[in-house]
Amino acid sequence: MTIETPIEFLKSIGPERAKLIKAVFGIATVEDFLNFFPIRYLDKSKTYQIKDLKENMPDIQLKGKITHFQETGTGRGKRLTAKFQDETGVIELIWFQYSQWMKEQLPVNRELYIFGKVNLFNNQFSLPHPEIEIEEKKEKEERLKPIYPGSEKLTKRGLNQKFFSSVLRNICLEIPNLLHENLPDDLRKSLKLMSRRSAYLNIHFPKNLKHLQHADRRLKFEEAFFFQLGYGLKKQHHQSHNVGNPFPIVGEYFNNFYENHLPFELTNAQKRVLKEIRNDMKRPVQMNRLLQGDVGSGKTMVALLSMLIAMDNGFQACIMAPTEILAQQHYHGISKLLENTDIQVKLLTGSTKTSERKTIHEGLMSGELSLLIGTHAIVEETVQFKNLGLAIIDEQHRFGVAQRARLWIKNKIPPHVLIMTATPIPRTLAMSFYSDLDVSVIDELPVGRKAIITAHRREKDRIFVYNFCRDEIKKGRQIYFVYPLIEESETLDYKNLTEGFAHISQYFSGNTVSMLHGKMLPAEKEIAMQQFASGAVDILVATTVIEVGVNVPNASVMIIESAERFGLSQLHQLRGRVGRGAEQSYCILMTSDKLTNEARKRIKTMCETNDGFKISEVDMELRGPGDILGTQQSGVVDFKRLDLLQDSEIIKVSKEIVEKILSKDPFLNHPDHEMMKNYYTKNYKGKNKWGKIS
Ligand code: ADP
Ligand code: MG
């Protein structure tokens, strides 16, 4: 037997069963089987008494007797129940599926151990599908019993827990021939990591809880380590192969702007990040940097200043935004900042007129036009630059990887790439998923910002909420009302929006109210946005088109309707539309009375914190990492054992160690690194599922 042996050749499997197991669990080889991990363990070292049962207990063991059983119901409702009793009480055992044979074998009036998870229903404990062991046959040495993922399809054919356990027992006997260490001894010793062989053995057949924990830690570390090693090697490769245009100077454009046109003092975080970008762009290596900064942290200014450096070095620069509104917003903001300079900037989107488009194309080709802002219209083939030196992508995870890659080919030597995101992602996720990007973080808001006050209100409070809005408008503030727009129920949602608009218009008849949604024409949208931005409109009733990046500092109240229907990062983004000026701002989350637990947690989190990183962590807890990265990229971080939430320490340590190793031995040529290198080459090299991130 080797780890590559197909499972059909294993004792007690054969071709038929092998096919079935492969179809259900994807297990094809001995190695797959070793990596088929128990989902939990039953602790058989402890026996509970029925009187001590509580709600929400983990799997437990009870000792007693089945006194009698009966069948009830017919067809799909048919079930088998039995009374199980110890000296302290009685519970009910239930089988929703069972065979005639099983029923006949039920050991009545014999001393038994049963295992499983108890439920409390109508004040009565029950235990569905218990595992049963007759006392005299109980395996004495077995303490933590592994439970493998179950499948009805397999269980029906006898491929049950006992079967998996016995196959794995046979495989584990061969572990010394099957598995070899892949981490250097020194490393293992310094981190007190269990050997690889021992870890696999103890994952499947734990000697005790402590051994199990050690095994778990070892396997998690290994997973994190080789993942980081892959990224580390990739980054190294990138740095030695991806030439970039060096921008050695900071010149007139930058200095003139910085000294004469900067409307405010940069925050320290902005200065630090700018320095990081500047240092990257100095080198003849393509920059590949992620700029994370919470909403309102002032990423736009960092972008502009970076573009000016590109110009100082004779290059063009562009910003690509995910929506037309956001592109316009950037365009207006940056035009305003450049108002008193002679720097030209243009806007290119899907709705740019043909004549204007032509002018832009020509300006870009001749080099007369240095700065371009736009939507994905920028990556169309017809758009050619004389020498694009810097491409900035705002709100990156709206763009697909492929779209971004099209920016690279705009220049012979690929432009430096700066990806800006206002949706902080949990640090552990960033460390894993983006570990081949350099990450800059703006972790400070401009001074004088007041924390946004967030409150949860229900339908019965609506009039109070309206009155509050009225008072704010009297003070000269502006209000957003946002309605959810979720594609499956689009027409219904538009109905909500238009009804909401009618209702609000009626209530606020003395004020100006306008509407903004995705189905409007770009020109209409722009007018609505402009009117709101100029202060001509008091209330903007909108869908989530305003979610990303919109900046109207005078708007101080954000009302989110049906807030329970929004995800956390979306709520946080929406809230970020207020609190952009000096005034106290508010976010009011309107919900119905009935909330799911998850929705309640989201609303509570929003009311408790403004910290985007904290919010992103709760979000990951609720949705899992795949969802956070977006569907296009889910699956990228499905680790076998590693949990991005629980295991941040392991991820951090593994990353540091990989960096240390690669800085001393970039090609892993040292004899101590041979095992590691071989293992990596065999199992990871070329197997990254995601390719280039930006
Ligand atoms: P985001 O990071 O969300 O894109 P913006 O770049 O839109 O944030 O900036 C939000 C607001 O803060 C803008 O009105 C901008 O002019 C202002 N701003 C940015 N940096 C500073 C600063 N250092 N001091 C004061 N205001 C700033
Ligand atoms: Mg922004």
Side-chain angles (χ1 to χ4, degrees):
M1 190 194 300
T2 73
I3 53 170
E4 274 137 28
T5 305
I7 59 169
E8 58 173 294
F9 300 120
L10 296 186
K11 234 198 304 186
S12 75
I13 297 193
E16 281 298 304
R17 291 175 152 192
K19 228 194 238 158
L20 207 61
I21 295 169
K22 175 142 193 253
V24 175
F25 289 122
I27 301 173
T29 63
V30 167
E31 184 171 25
D32 295 338
F33 236 123
L34 276 167
N35 284 305
F36 183 63
F37 296 126
I39 38 172
R40 54 198 167 88
Y41 299 84
L42 293 183
D43 185 356
K44 294 191 171 183
S45 59
K46 187 168 166 129
T47 306
Y48 284 83
Q49 295 197 312
I50 291 174
K51 73 172 167 45
D52 297 326
L53 294 183
K54 290 189 196 67
E55 222 178 334
N56 297 326
M57 284 177 126
D59 289 281
I60 51 142
Q61 168 172 260
L62 295 167
K63 188 180 174 198
K65 281 179 186 165
I66 291 177
T67 51
H68 58 275
F69 63 87
Q70 69 179 92
E71 273 177 295
T72 56
T74 52
R76 289 188 137 257
K78 197 168 134 184
R79 62 196 47 172
L80 178 66
T81 61
K83 295 273 179 240
F84 180 85
Q85 161 185 334
D86 69 5
E87 290 100 65
T88 68
V90 183
I91 65 165
E92 190 167 62
L93 311 183
I94 306 175
W95 291 265
F96 299 101
Q97 278 151 4
Y98 56 94
S99 63
Q100 199 56 30
W101 180 81
M102 197 209 97
K103 190 181 80 187
E104 282 156 16
Q105 296 297 309
L106 219 54
V108 180
N109 278 323
R110 293 177 69 176
E111 281 294 328
L112 305 174
Y113 284 94
I114 61 169
F115 313 90
K117 197 164 165 44
V118 289
N119 293 325
L120 183 60
F121 187 72
N122 279 344
N123 251 338
Q124 163 81 51
F125 281 101
S126 65
L127 203 163
H129 291 255
E131 277 219 29
I132 296 178
E133 264 185 277
I134 295 161
E135 195 194 9
E136 61 252 37
K137 290 194 194 152
K138 184 168 156 64
E139 289 175 53
K140 287 285 180 289
E141 87 285 12
E142 193 175 45
R143 302 210 167 266
L144 285 165
K145 184 180 156 60
I147 303 293
Y148 292 94
S151 143
E152 205 187 303
K153 200 168 160 193
L154 294 188
T155 313
K156 268 191 189 150
R157 310 220 191 164
L159 305 186
N160 53 15
Q161 293 294 332
K162 271 211 177 84
F163 167 82
F164 281 109
S165 233
S166 93
V167 171
L168 273 155
R169 196 172 287 281
N170 287 335
I171 293 176
C172 283
L173 287 174
E174 300 282 329
I175 277 183
N177 306 321
L178 296 173
L179 296 177
H180 305 283
E181 191 48 65
N182 55 18
L183 296 173
D185 282 353
D186 276 5
L187 178 61
R188 261 185 52 213
K189 278 199 194 102
S190 69
L191 293 174
K192 300 199 171 62
L193 292 175
M194 190 181 245
S195 77
R196 196 150 187 263
R197 289 171 175 166
S198 201
Y200 271 93
L201 182 62
N202 275 285
I203 277 296
H204 291 292
F205 300 100
K207 194 165 166 199
N208 54 40
L209 193 61
K210 205 158 168 207
H211 275 70
L212 176 61
Q213 285 163 345
H214 272 290
D216 183 51
R217 193 168 80 92
R218 150 79 209 210
L219 293 179
K220 280 178 167 169
F221 181 84
E222 178 179 313
E223 199 172 14
F225 180 87
F226 283 99
F227 186 84
Q228 295 294 348
L229 186 66
Y231 263 136
L233 289 168
K234 219 166 90 186
K235 187 161 157 186
Q236 208 169 266
H237 179 87
H238 173 89
Q239 302 213 326
S240 54
H241 288 78
N242 286 46
V243 284
N245 290 301
F247 294 174
I249 51 171
V250 171
E252 246 332 270
Y253 287 118
F254 183 95
N255 288 329
N256 177 39
F257 181 84
Y258 201 90
E259 276 147 36
N260 304 317
H261 303 285
L262 201 64
F264 38 67
E265 169 88 1
L266 294 187
T267 62
N268 285 330
Q270 280 170 318
K271 286 183 194 161
R272 173 174 39 79
V273 160
L274 197 64
K275 208 178 273 170
E276 289 165 357
I277 293 170
R278 154 106 183 93
N279 283 337
D280 273 7
M281 297 194 304
K282 255 189 216 167
R283 300 182 307 153
V285 176
Q286 186 203 25
M287 172 171 77
N288 206 5
R289 186 169 279 278
L290 177 74
L291 174 57
Q292 284 203 67
D294 214 338
V295 278
S297 61
K299 294 185 292 297
T300 314
M301 183 53 82
V302 172
L304 175 60
L305 291 167
S306 310
M307 295 203 290
L308 295 178
I309 297 177
M311 283 182 71
D312 277 335
N313 289 275
F315 285 90
Q316 295 164 302
C318 68
I319 298 183
M320 192 159 88
T323 63
E324 176 121 13
I325 290 188
L326 185 56
Q328 275 166 8
Q329 182 104 45
H330 273 308
Y331 174 69
H332 292 305
I334 287 178
S335 302
K336 186 137 195 301
L337 288 166
L338 296 175
E339 199 165 46
N340 299 315
T341 70
D342 51 9
I343 303 170
Q344 236 206 97
V345 54
K346 291 271 188 195
L347 176 68
L348 180 68
T349 69
S351 55
T352 303
K353 292 207 181 65
T354 319
S355 56
E356 170 76 353
R357 194 177 284 263
K358 197 163 158 258
T359 317
I360 292 174
H361 286 184
E362 283 167 9
L364 291 174
M365 294 253 266
S366 71
E368 229 164 287
L369 178 60
S370 293
L371 300 186
L372 182 67
I373 293 170
T375 55
H376 49 262
I378 293 183
V379 296
E380 273 163 29
E381 252 165 68
T382 47
V383 182
Q384 282 171 16
F385 291 80
K386 183 168 176 235
N387 54 0
L388 180 64
L390 170 65
I392 298 175
I393 302 171
D394 196 7
E395 312 296 354
Q396 55 82 27
H397 72 229
R398 293 258 184 135
F399 286 106
V401 174
Q403 258 177 330
R404 280 179 248 149
R406 285 167 68 186
L407 265 178
W408 287 48
I409 51 172
K410 291 274 169 201
N411 225 46
K412 229 190 285 145
I413 292 182
H416 295 297
V417 176
L418 181 68
I419 300 170
M420 305 198 292
T421 171
T423 315
I425 58 171
R427 277 168 240 266
T428 51
L429 191 57
M431 248 190 270
S432 325
F433 186 66
Y434 291 119
S435 52
D436 74 329
L437 296 185
D438 294 299
V439 180
S440 291
V441 181
I442 308 187
D443 49 6
E444 173 188 14
L445 295 181
V447 284
R449 291 277 169 76
K450 294 196 178 76
I452 300 164
I453 296 172
T454 303
H456 176 200
R457 294 286 179 268
R458 295 163 197 270
E459 213 40 54
K460 65 175 167 40
D461 312 313
R462 183 167 290 276
I463 292 304
F464 295 103
V465 172
Y466 281 2
N467 286 341
F468 173 76
C469 292
R470 193 169 270 163
D471 291 344
E472 285 294 300
I473 294 171
K474 268 194 205 130
K475 289 192 223 157
R477 306 282 96 77
Q478 290 164 282
I479 318 279
Y480 291 105
F481 277 85
V482 176
Y483 284 81
L485 189 59
I486 292 153
E487 275 181 40
E488 303 105 63
S489 54
E490 208 175 349
T491 33
L492 207 79
D493 286 337
Y494 272 114
K495 188 159 162 274
N496 281 344
L497 174 77
T498 49
E499 280 175 6
F501 176 68
H503 189 250
I504 292 163
S505 301
Q506 194 180 20
Y507 194 88
F508 292 89
S509 54
N511 302 110
T512 41
V513 185
S514 69
M515 185 156 67
L516 179 65
H517 61 74
K519 284 192 175 165
M520 287 158 58
L521 296 172
E524 295 174 328
K525 280 193 260 181
E526 189 179 355
I527 292 169
M529 210 51 236
Q530 282 303 337
Q531 284 181 332
F532 189 65
S534 72
V537 166
D538 302 310
I539 298 176
L540 186 64
V541 181
T543 59
T544 48
V545 283
I546 63 143
E547 175 193 343
V548 173
V550 170
N551 188 24
V552 181
N554 191 50
S556 68
V557 183
M558 165 64 66
I559 316 276
I560 304 178
E561 299 283 351
S562 305
E564 70 271 31
R565 292 177 60 191
F566 290 90
L568 260 179
S569 70
Q570 222 179 1
L571 289 172
H572 182 60
Q573 279 290 319
L574 285 169
R575 178 168 61 184
R577 297 311 107 212
V578 297
R580 308 195 135 229
E583 305 304 326
Q584 176 63 58
S585 290
Y586 304 88
C587 174
I588 300 175
L589 306 171
M590 300 293 297
T591 72
S592 61
D593 289 332
K594 271 205 174 148
L595 294 181
T596 63
N597 284 341
E598 208 185 300
R600 192 167 297 123
K601 173 118 198 213
R602 289 197 295 265
I603 303 288
K604 186 164 168 273
T605 305
M606 286 296 293
C607 293
E608 280 170 5
T609 182
N610 278 302
D611 181 338
F613 280 104
K614 261 191 212 141
I615 290 173
S616 71
E617 260 148 40
V618 177
D619 200 23
M620 183 158 85
E621 192 183 312
L622 294 176
R623 295 195 298 150
D627 268 356
I628 297 216
L629 293 171
T631 43
Q632 294 159 320
Q633 284 147 1
S634 65
V636 162
V637 285
D638 30 334
F639 293 109
K640 283 202 284 273
R641 300 198 68 83
L642 207 57
D643 178 327
L644 291 172
L645 264 158
Q646 314 283 327
D647 302 323
S648 54
E649 193 54 31
I650 291 179
I651 293 170
K652 198 169 134 245
V653 171
S654 69
K655 187 174 167 69
E656 283 163 8
I657 289 178
V658 164
E659 278 166 7
K660 215 160 85 192
I661 291 176
L662 289 180
S663 74
K664 286 196 194 129
D665 183 17
F667 301 103
L668 304 179
N669 288 335
H670 193 281
D672 284 355
H673 297 152
E674 198 183 325
M675 292 185 299
M676 185 167 103
K677 186 179 183 173
N678 291 343
Y679 183 81
Y680 176 80
T681 312
K682 184 154 176 278
N683 293 282
Y684 285 81
K685 203 174 171 193
K687 290 190 185 164
N688 283 353
K689 285 179 247 166
W690 50 92
K692 278 190 170 128
I693 301 290
S694 58

